């Protein structure tokens, strides 16, 4: 939008507005309420609900304010008898075929149609005929559909197309018989449920929450998602100690993700109140024996004794402390403090196969926020698959391309779905991402690197040209394929591409909700990685204290590692492959039961808030660690307060300095950690190291031409999603019951859970 | 059925009676493809547009927008390709003129499109026909093939540097696709929903490129305008409505058919009572819908003795409009309540569902009509229907909403007795569904 200012007269008041501003936005901004259903910021215009009609002088008819761009001297009336009648009549039309049984509708109480009718509608109903009828059905295991309630605002179809790039839902039929539905069969998509989120009526509903609760019974708690590193803000709806549902509807929460959530964030929460949650601390008094319930005091005392004994016998470095990229900053901080100040071991790490330490140590440019991505002009994606692993990032990329005309350049060994939106796709051989970075590091490497990658050298020069021709923001993203030297070069790439009219921003794509935070808390500074610790069990590592469990990829090929330990203590929600070897299992509280912070891949430090009391005897991880420290004679001074832990974090970790919980209060103004941006580094040794890596790469290899199936990562069953029956149905290929229109939940009790054995993942 | 011209030399209908009138031979022997030759030999694109402007030709699809002006809106400097699209989605109830023009004289349409393509610099052109006119596509395809073989289509037309192609395309039976932007959506392979205007198709139409969408009859008028000159063509009609107009006459007259009349033909009463052979069975004239279903219905006393001139201005002055020229005559046996119910059912069936007032309004109106027809009319229903029409009119996304409202509004206001009769003879006064 230009900076030029024009004058617009609204309801006899003069306003100065930026040239190019949309009338509906201007009116609302200036305090004139205008109703609308189909107008949705940043989606294609629809102008079909006809609610936002205004009178503009010199125009013959009432005009939809959503389609009008303000012009200088425009005279607008938003309130008059004529306009009121039009708005009342549109609501009357919308309600004509809409059932008036709000008390049985899941949307009742938070329905835009309901609200709009109260605010703008008429008092009496003139429609006395029979309403059109269409049966309720499920569009997928996640999405319930009551077509009668549809007002055809088509937010759902636009969100599906523009946000998700999936086009799974579309209107069918004509006129008053138009219904929203699929092209046949169940919704063939990533089941993000954003169509449910944006639906202003009870047409598309959360199929897992159907008839479970009324919105006004729910306590809404604003928190941060515990799945991927995008860190979506969400609202946890709980009732009587039970987490009922998760939404992002912006009446409850207004985070950087807007109303966006993915399948995991929205539907992956039933693990919280699951019957398999650990109920008490457990102690295995004898190796090979059973885990026996114990009191907290007993479990803490027993653990402290065992750790003390191991340290006495083998020295403190024989004790390993393992944090997790899934738990809060507070929890990781407490573990780090425990390792360094209580045990005094140099062996501590976090269970993340992708350490961002080389990246942050050499950071040469700021991190891109998701908002930056949406308005970027060029986006370079090296490796990774954000559609499946960081869905919000993928959505921002799609919108940058389709709504903002950004250029997307994808370097990948498989044609991931985002390639469809790419201006350039550099299709490299598998495992060659480091070679791509080596080529970006210096143009003289391009020819050799291109040969290795199986591409033409001019593909790399075209990429370089696109970046150097960009005016505006360039965002460079990278996935977990990069090694340490390549991460260092990417972190420094900004120095070679920055210009007066061009900002270069970086966006790492780690896998977990707090991968970045685990790094920030220092859990990636230890002497050994998790894999190295597991390899050293029974020799230099004698005892491990682990928050969360080891990842399947860490345990694969190391099945005996945990059995070799003298002692293993684990914080967990459930019994896992790791707790099977544990001597003490301490029941931890899930993200819904605690206060804390996660740091996402933008570097945004966001609050996690307690929605329900800890289930059974669970405790927050940091509290367990503090209790253990106290037992070992060290008072962490946290008392019972997560905010005290965070205050200490802010005092000790420079990037977090000055932050306090009250500073992080407003999710609509997220706070980015202040990472140190280093002076340009000499990259020759990193380039040399990478040259060796590239030289060692094979000279041939088949490129995959198969676009990965939607959901191949999202639907994977891991420890948490394992507790959601719908994920089992999706993982089993989403089989639709052909003959009967039954609830998918019923269907699941009949024939799902089949694929449970196939479930291996760290989701 | 009568097909011919009254009150003027036939232009549009000049060849329809000839044997083999569809063939290229017959068309050429009777003056065909002379206009395109003249254009290519001696006229610039701007010359063509100027002739069109002088001719005062107004779009024959229903809206009556001046064609020359529409063509001049196409940006000359746009780097995008330009398209001429012929709207042959003739779906307006009571309208069947385009069908005869295409069926009997397909080359006239091709020539008109070639001239338009030349004037606008279009290389690719489409004829979009309603799904029910499948047989016309075969006729057009044969004619296009003939033209192609004769060097009248493709590269280097008539040996000049000008070249263009014309393709046929059918809709799938939706009235809304006669609305030009919905037609373009359908032509692009999407749902036939109208698009937002502005941008108008002349600036951003088919595939977001400059596009002119013209009715069949508009395009078939073009060769004669070029041949006789814009001024001469205009003089056939009136100052603001140039040339001749083809009317589709149906209903209770002795001689229904396709009539070509000069614009400004005097007068409508004479046209019905003499030219069309008078009322069927000698019955009394009750009502006329002069321009396809989407215009105001006229009472007999708005016509008889009123000297209604048959052109855009004359019919508007008499209380209706030319529309598509679908001239429906009704005698005293017609119950205007029933005929309006029938039309409303049509609009409800054809409402595309995009916008609230048209989708829900037409559905509701049909339900009210049906309830009244079933004997459950209430005295306040006429007012209810008028109010619903008012809530649709001027508030819908495209003109279909207005088109659905106007027949009902005019019918209730001009034939209140036909409605009152149904409302008063209610079985009971109670509310029923």
């Amino acid at each position: 939008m230009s900076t030029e200012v024009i004058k617009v007269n609204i309801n006899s008041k003069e306003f100065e507005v930026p040239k190019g501003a949309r009338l509906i936005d201007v009116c609302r901004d200036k305090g004139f309420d205008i109703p609308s259903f189909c107008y949705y910021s940043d989606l294609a215009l629809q102008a079909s609900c006809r609610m936002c009609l205004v009178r503009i002088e010199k125009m013959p008819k009432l005009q939809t304010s959503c389609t009008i761009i303000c012009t200088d001297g425009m005279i607008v009336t938003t309130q008059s008898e004529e306009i009121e009648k039009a708005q009342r009549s549109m609501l009357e039309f919308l309600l004509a075929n809409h059932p008036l049984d709000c008390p049985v509708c899941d949307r009742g109480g938070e329905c835009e149609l309901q609200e709009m009718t109260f605010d703008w509608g008429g008092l009496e109903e003139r429609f006395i005929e029979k309403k059109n009828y269409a049966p309720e059905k499920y569009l997928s295991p996640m999405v319930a559909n009551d077509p009668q309630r549809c007002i055809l605002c088509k937010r759902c179809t636009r969100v599906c197309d523009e946000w998700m790039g999936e086009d799974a839902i579309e209107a069918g039929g004509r006129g008053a018989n138009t219904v929203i539905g699929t092209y046949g069969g169940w919704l063939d998509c990533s089941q993000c449920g954003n169509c449910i989120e944006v639906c202003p009526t009870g047409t598309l509903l959360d199929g897992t929450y159907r008839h479970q609760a009324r919105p006004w019974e729910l306590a809404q708690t604003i928190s941060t998602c515990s799945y991927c590193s995008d860190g979506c803000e969400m609202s946890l709806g709980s009732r009587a100690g039970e987490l009922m549902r998760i939404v992002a509807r912006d009446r409850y929460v207004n985070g950087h993700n807007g109303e966006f959530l993915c399948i995991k964030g929205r539907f992956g929460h039933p693990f919280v109140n699951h019957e398999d949650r650990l109920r008490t601390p457990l102690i295995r008094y004898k190796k090979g024996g059973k885990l026996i319930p114990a009191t907290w005091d007993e479990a803490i005392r027993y653990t402290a004794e065992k750790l003390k004994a191991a340290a006495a016998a083998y020295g403190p470095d024989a004790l390993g402390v393992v944090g997790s990229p899934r738990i809060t900053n507070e929890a990781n901080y407490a573990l780090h403090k425990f390792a360094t100040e209580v045990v005094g071991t140099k062996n501590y790490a976090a269970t993340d196969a992708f350490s961002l330490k080389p990246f942050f140590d050499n950071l040469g440019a700021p991190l891109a926020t998701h908002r930056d991505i949406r308005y970027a002009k060029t986006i370079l994606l090296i490796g990774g698959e954000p559609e499946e692993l960081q869905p919000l990032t993928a959505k921002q990329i799609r919108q940058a391309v389709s709504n903002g005309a950004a250029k997307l350049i994808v370097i990948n060994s498989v044609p991931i779905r985002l390639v469809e939106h790419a201006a350039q796709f550099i299709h490299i051989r598998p495992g060659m991402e480091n070679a791509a970075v080596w080529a970006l590091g210096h143009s003289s490497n391009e020819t050799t690197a291109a040969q290795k990658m199986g591409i033409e050298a001019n593909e790399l020069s075209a990429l370089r040209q696109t970046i150097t021709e960009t005016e505006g923001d360039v965002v460079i993203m990278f996935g977990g394929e990069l090694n340490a030297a390549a991460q260092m070069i990417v972190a420094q790439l900004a120095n070679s591409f920055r210009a007066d009219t061009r900002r270069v921003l970086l966006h790492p794509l780690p896998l977990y909700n707090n991968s970045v935070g685990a790094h920030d808390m220092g859990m990636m500074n230890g002497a050994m990685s998790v894999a190295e610790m597991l390899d050293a069990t029974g020799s230099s590592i004698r005892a491990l204290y682990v928050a969360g469990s080891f990842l399947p990829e860490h345990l694969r090929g190391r099945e005996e590692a945990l059995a070799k330990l003298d002692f293993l203590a684990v914080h967990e929600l459930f019994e896992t492959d790791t707790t099977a070897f544990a001597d003490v299992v301490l029941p931890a509280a899930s993200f819904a039961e605690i206060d804390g912070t996660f740091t996402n891949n933008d570097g945004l430090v966001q609050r996690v808030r307690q929605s329900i009391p800890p289930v059974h005897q669970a405790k927050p991880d940091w509290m367990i660690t503090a209790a253990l420290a106290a037992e070992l004679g060290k008072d962490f001074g946290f008392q019972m307060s997560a905010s005290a832990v965070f205050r200490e974090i802010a005092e000790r970790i420079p990037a977090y300095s000055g932050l306090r919980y009250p500073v992080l209060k407003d999710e609509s103004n997220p706070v980015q950690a202040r990472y140190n941006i280093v002076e340009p580094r000499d990259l020759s040794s990193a380039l040399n190291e990478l040259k060796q890596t590239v030289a060692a790469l094979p000279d041939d290899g088949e490129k995959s031409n198969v676009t990965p199936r939607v959901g191949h990562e999202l639907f994977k069953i891991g420890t948490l999603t394992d507790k959601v029956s719908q994920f089992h149905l999706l993982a089993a290929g989403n089989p639709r019951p052909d003959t009967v229109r039954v609830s998918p939940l019923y269907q699941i009790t009949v024939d799902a859970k089949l694929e449970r054995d196939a479930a291996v993942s760290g989701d | 059925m009568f097909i011919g011209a009254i009150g003027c030399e036939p232009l549009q209908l000049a060849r329809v009676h000839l044997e083999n009138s569809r063939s290229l031979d017959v068309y050429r022997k009777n003056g065909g493809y002379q206009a395109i030759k003249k254009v290519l030999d001696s006229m610039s694109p701007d010359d063509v547009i100027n002739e069109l402007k002088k001719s005062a030709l107004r779009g024959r699809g229903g809206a009556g927008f001046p064609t020359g002006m529409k063509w001049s809106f196409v940006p000359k400097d746009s780097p995008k390709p330009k398209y001429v699209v012929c709207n042959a989605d003739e779906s307006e109830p009571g309208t069947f003129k385009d069908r005869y023009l295409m069926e009997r004289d397909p080359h006239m349409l091709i020539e008109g499109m070639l001239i338009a393509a030349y004037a606008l610099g279009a290389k690719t052109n489409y004829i979009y026909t309603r799904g029910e006119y499948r047989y016309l596509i075969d006729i057009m395809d044969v004619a296009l093939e003939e033209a192609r073989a004769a060097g009248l289509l493709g590269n280097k037309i008539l040996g000049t540097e000008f070249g263009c192609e014309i393709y046929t395309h059918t809709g799938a039976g939706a009235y809304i696709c006669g609305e030009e932007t919905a037609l373009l959506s359908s032509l692009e392979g999407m749902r036939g929903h109208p698009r937002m205007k502005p941008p108008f198709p002349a600036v951003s139409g088919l595939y977001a490129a400059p596009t002119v969408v013209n009715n069949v009859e508009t395009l078939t008028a073009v060769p004669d305008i070029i041949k006789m000159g814009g001024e001469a063509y205009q003089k056939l009609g009136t100052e603001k409505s140039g040339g001749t107009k083809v009317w589709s006459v149906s209903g209770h007259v002795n001689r229904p058919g396709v009539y070509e009349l000069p614009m400004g033909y005097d007068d409508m009463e004479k046209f019905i009572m003499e030219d069309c052979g008078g009322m069927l069975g000698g019955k009394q004239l009750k009502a006329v819908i002069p321009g396809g279903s989407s215009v105001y219905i006229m009472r007999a006393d708005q016509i008889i003795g009123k000297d209604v001139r048959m052109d855009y201005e004359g019919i508007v002055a008499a209380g209706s409009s030319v529309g598509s020229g679908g001239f429906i005559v009704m005698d005293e046996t017609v119950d205007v309540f029933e005929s309006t119910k029938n039309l409303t059912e049509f609009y409800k069936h054809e409402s595309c569902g995009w916008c609230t007032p048209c989708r829900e309004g037409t559905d509701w109106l049909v339900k009210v009509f049906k309830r009244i027809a079933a004997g459950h009319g209430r005295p306040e229903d006429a007012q209810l229907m008028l109010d619903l029409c008012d809530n649709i009119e001027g508030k819908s996304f495209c003109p279909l909403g207005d088109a659905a409202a106007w027949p009902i509004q005019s019918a209730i206001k001009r034939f209140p007795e036909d409605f009152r009769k149904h409302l008063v003879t209610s079985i009971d006064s109670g509310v029923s569904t």
Side-chain angles (χ1 to χ4, degrees), chain B residues 245-259:
Chain B
K245 165 88 192 106
V246 183
W247 300 83
S248 325
V249 180
S250 61
H252 299 137
V253 287
N254 281 319
R255 209 162 50 144
V258 182
Y259 289 75

Side-chain angles (χ1 to χ4, degrees), chain B residues 80-85 124-126 180-181 183-189 195 200-213:
Chain B
K80 292 178 178 173
K82 293 154 192 84
Y83 298 98
V84 172
V85 177
T124 310
N125 311 287
Y126 296 93
E180 60 178 1
T181 56
L183 184 155
L184 295 176
S185 295
S186 169
L187 193 52
E188 286 176 10
R195 300 177 185 175
F200 289 91
V203 178
S204 177
L206 190 62
Y207 307 116
T211 305
V212 159
V213 185

Side-chain angles (χ1 to χ4, degrees), chain A residues 173-219:
Chain A
R174 196 167 72 189
N177 299 320
T178 313
V179 286
I180 294 295
T182 68
Y183 292 98
W186 285 45
L187 270 176
D188 181 14
C189 66
S190 66
Q191 312 287 340
C192 65
N194 286 315
C195 49
I196 302 168
E197 191 81 53
V198 298
C199 179
T201 71
T203 308
L204 295 169
L205 295 164
D206 184 337
T208 69
Y209 162 77
R210 199 97 172 88
H211 303 314
Q212 297 288 306
R214 308 315 317 261
W216 55 86
E217 300 170 337
L218 300 179

